[in-house]
Amino acid sequence: MTVQTALPEAPPAVPVLVRVRRLSMEIVKFGVVGGSGVAVNFLVFNLLMHGLGWAPMTATVMASCVAMATNYLGFRFYAYRDRASRTRRQIALFFGFSVLGVVMESVLFYAGYHGAGMTGPFASNVAKALSIVLASAFRFLVYRTWVFQHDAHR
C-alpha cells in the first residue's frame, strides 16, 4: 500500500496584463485622492499665506497637515478600501510616513522659496507644486508597500 501525500499547490500565477491593469487602477485611485489632497493643500496654503498673511513655512506645514488628514480618509475608504482592515498599526504607519512626507515637502518648499527666491504669489505656488510632486512619489511607494498592504503581504 502506497501513501501519497498531496503537496499544497501554489496559487496560479497572475497574468502580467492583469497585474498591469491592477497597478494602473491603483495609480489612478491614488491620483484621485492625491489630487483632492493637492487641491486642499493649495487652498489652505494660499488662504493662510496670501489671504491671512501667515509666514510661508507655517502656511506650507499647516496646509500639508490638513491635506494629510483628508488624504487618510480618501486612501482608507476609496483608494485602498480592498486592503487590510484599519488597525492602530496602519494608522500609525500612515501618519508616521505622512509626517516624513510633510518634512520632505517642507524642506523642498524651503529650498524653492528661500533658496531659489520663489517668493511671489505665483512663484511660491510653483515651489509648493514642485515640493508636493516630489514628496508624493515617496508617499505612493510607502503607502502601497507598508501602510495599505494586501493581507497576503503580512
Side-chain angles (χ1 to χ4, degrees):
M1 175 176 217
T2 309
V3 177
Q4 293 184 357
T5 306
L7 295 174
E9 291 185 32
V14 179
V16 173
L17 216 47
V18 172
R19 288 186 296 182
V20 168
R21 184 178 179 280
R22 285 181 189 162
L23 181 60
S24 297
M25 288 307 300
E26 183 179 340
I27 291 170
V28 167
K29 287 180 177 182
F30 184 90
V32 168
V33 173
S36 66
V38 168
V40 167
N41 202 329
F42 273 106
L43 180 69
V44 173
F45 172 73
N46 282 290
L47 174 68
L48 295 177
M49 185 171 159
H50 301 296
L52 300 176
W54 285 31
M57 291 309 297
T58 304
T60 197
V61 170
M62 288 301 297
S64 296
C65 289
V66 171
M68 173 180 58
T70 61
N71 279 355
Y72 177 76
L73 298 173
F75 288 130
R76 178 66 195 102
F77 296 107
Y78 174 65
Y80 295 117
R81 71 174 176 231
D82 62 327
R83 303 275 177 110
S85 63
R86 181 178 59 106
T87 63
R88 288 183 193 159
R89 179 182 179 277
Q90 183 186 66
I91 294 169
L93 284 172
F94 178 84
F95 284 102
F97 284 127
S98 292
V99 166
L100 286 175
V102 169
V103 169
M104 288 175 64
E105 189 178 317
S106 299
V107 167
L108 292 165
F109 176 77
Y110 183 90
Y113 190 85
H114 293 289
M118 301 172 84
T119 57
F122 178 75
S124 64
N125 277 282
V126 171
K128 183 73 172 163
L130 293 171
S131 68
I132 289 171
V133 166
L134 294 172
S136 292
F138 164 77
R139 289 180 180 119
F140 176 74
L141 292 173
V142 298
Y143 291 167
R144 78 178 305 268
T145 304
W146 289 296
V147 179
F148 298 104
Q149 300 175 341
H150 285 290
D151 285 330
H153 290 156
R154 293 181 163 205

